[in-house]
Amino acid sequence: MKKIFIAVVSISLMVVSCKGEVNTSNNSATEVSDNSETKKTENTSSKENDESGDAICLLDKLSVRETPTAKGKWITSMSLGEKVYFTGEKHIDSVTKKDYFKVKLIDGKEGWSRAPFLAVNGKVGVITQKTSVYKRPDLLTKTENEFSPMDIIAVIGNQDDWVQVKGKRATGKYIEEVWVKSNNISDKQVDIATAKFAGIALTKPTMTDRIKALQEVVGNSDFAESSFIGLIQEKIKDYESKNVPVDVQDVKVEE
């Protein structure tokens, strides 16, 4: 009888022990499941808040600095129309209140640049002809402003046959976000590059220097297929007709 009692007690203890292990196992599985859900939520949230992506530089010689301040160590500069990678990191200078974005260039260099001069998730383009500016994709919102041929911009949106662009007009002072008709824009690399270097040529201090610089653009075989070559040649002729040598002017005055 005593042996039977001992056996019953042993079996009872074994059952209780097994239940405890099962409960412990279930709790562990729940904890793993909870942790997985937490990690899944964190990853989803991080992905949703990620604003990184390609960006277009809208200002020639835009500085890239080691730190997000105007006094940060200068690393390099970007070209108007250049495509860079925006890392998603942002900073507001506590003193100047200016916004900065961290970017990575094609050669691997990284640094901070002024946010207003970058078009995140934009595509570079160039205006092909004199183009009216609209506040919204509606003919009734036409403004008095116009883009000029060879103005480099970034396309940041579209609707039907309209595109929203960000950039500075040749006759403007600031970076603007406006709407234009899509048939006024070229995304060809040869047109963008030709426009960029022709724009630099037009900033030369004297008419003689401008003529020389424009002739170099026209004479560059890499730009031969650009739709702007004819326009640049006309500009050269116009400058040459107005660029009268000083000694010739003196003769006319004496006469």
Side-chain angles (χ1 to χ4, degrees), residues 3 21 50 109 111 119 149 190 221:
K3 291 181 178 180
E21 289 179 0
D50 187 7
K109 291 187 176 70
V190 66
S221 58

Side-chain angles (χ1 to χ4, degrees), residues 7-233:
V8 170
V9 171
S10 298
I11 293 171
S12 299
L13 290 173
M14 288 175 63
V15 170
V16 171
S17 176
C18 289
K19 284 185 177 179
E21 289 179 0
V22 169
N23 288 337
T24 302
S25 177
N26 287 340
N27 288 338
S28 298
T30 302
E31 288 176 3
V32 171
S33 176
D34 289 343
N35 289 336
S36 297
E37 289 298 322
T38 300
K39 289 181 179 179
K40 183 178 180 182
T41 301
E42 288 175 352
N43 290 337
T44 301
S45 176
S46 176
K47 186 175 182 180
E48 288 175 351
N49 294 329
D50 187 7
E51 298 180 13
S52 61
D54 291 336
I56 303 301
C57 175
L58 299 173
L59 182 69
D60 202 33
K61 298 181 180 179
L62 179 62
S63 294
V64 178
R65 299 184 181 279
E66 196 171 89
T67 54
T69 67
K71 295 182 179 180
K73 181 180 178 182
W74 187 86
I75 298 174
T76 186
S77 63
M78 293 183 282
S79 170
L80 172 62
E82 183 176 354
K83 183 170 76 173
V84 298
Y85 182 74
F86 169 47
T87 66
E89 295 181 68
K90 303 177 182 179
H91 181 81
I92 299 178
D93 190 315
S94 59
V95 178
T96 64
K97 306 302 180 184
K98 293 180 178 179
D99 294 338
Y100 287 84
F101 285 170
K102 190 172 185 180
V103 298
K104 183 176 182 178
L105 279 62
I106 194 171
D107 61 1
K109 291 187 176 70
E110 291 187 29
W112 295 86
S113 289
R114 289 290 316 285
F117 303 112
L118 294 167
V120 179
N121 294 321
K123 294 183 178 180
V124 65
V126 59
I127 303 295
T128 57
Q129 57 191 333
K130 192 173 289 187
T131 302
S132 296
V133 169
Y134 296 82
K135 293 180 181 179
R136 291 173 290 281
D138 187 325
L139 291 174
L140 297 177
T141 65
K142 181 180 178 298
T143 70
E144 295 179 354
N145 297 328
E146 290 181 331
F147 275 106
S148 302
M150 296 193 292
D151 281 347
I152 294 176
I153 49 81
V155 175
I156 58 176
N158 63 80
Q159 183 175 316
D160 298 326
D161 59 344
W162 296 84
V163 290
Q164 186 179 23
V165 301
K166 182 176 181 180
K168 179 183 173 298
R169 293 178 292 109
T171 55
K173 293 182 178 180
Y174 310 104
I175 300 291
E176 304 172 73
E177 289 187 20
V178 295
W179 291 83
V180 300
K181 284 289 189 175
S182 59
N183 59 355
N184 295 308
I185 296 176
S186 170
D187 60 358
K188 295 179 180 179
Q189 285 297 310
V190 66
D191 286 338
I192 296 166
T194 301
K196 188 263 173 102
F197 289 103
I200 293 175
L202 294 174
T203 63
K204 297 295 182 181
T206 68
M207 201 168 290
T208 299
D209 291 336
R210 292 175 202 166
I211 293 171
K212 182 179 179 181
L214 288 173
Q215 287 174 333
E216 290 176 356
V217 173
V218 171
N220 189 329
S221 58
D222 292 337
F223 301 152
E225 299 300 318
S226 174
S227 60
F228 294 126
I229 294 300
L231 179 64
I232 296 173
Q233 290 173 330

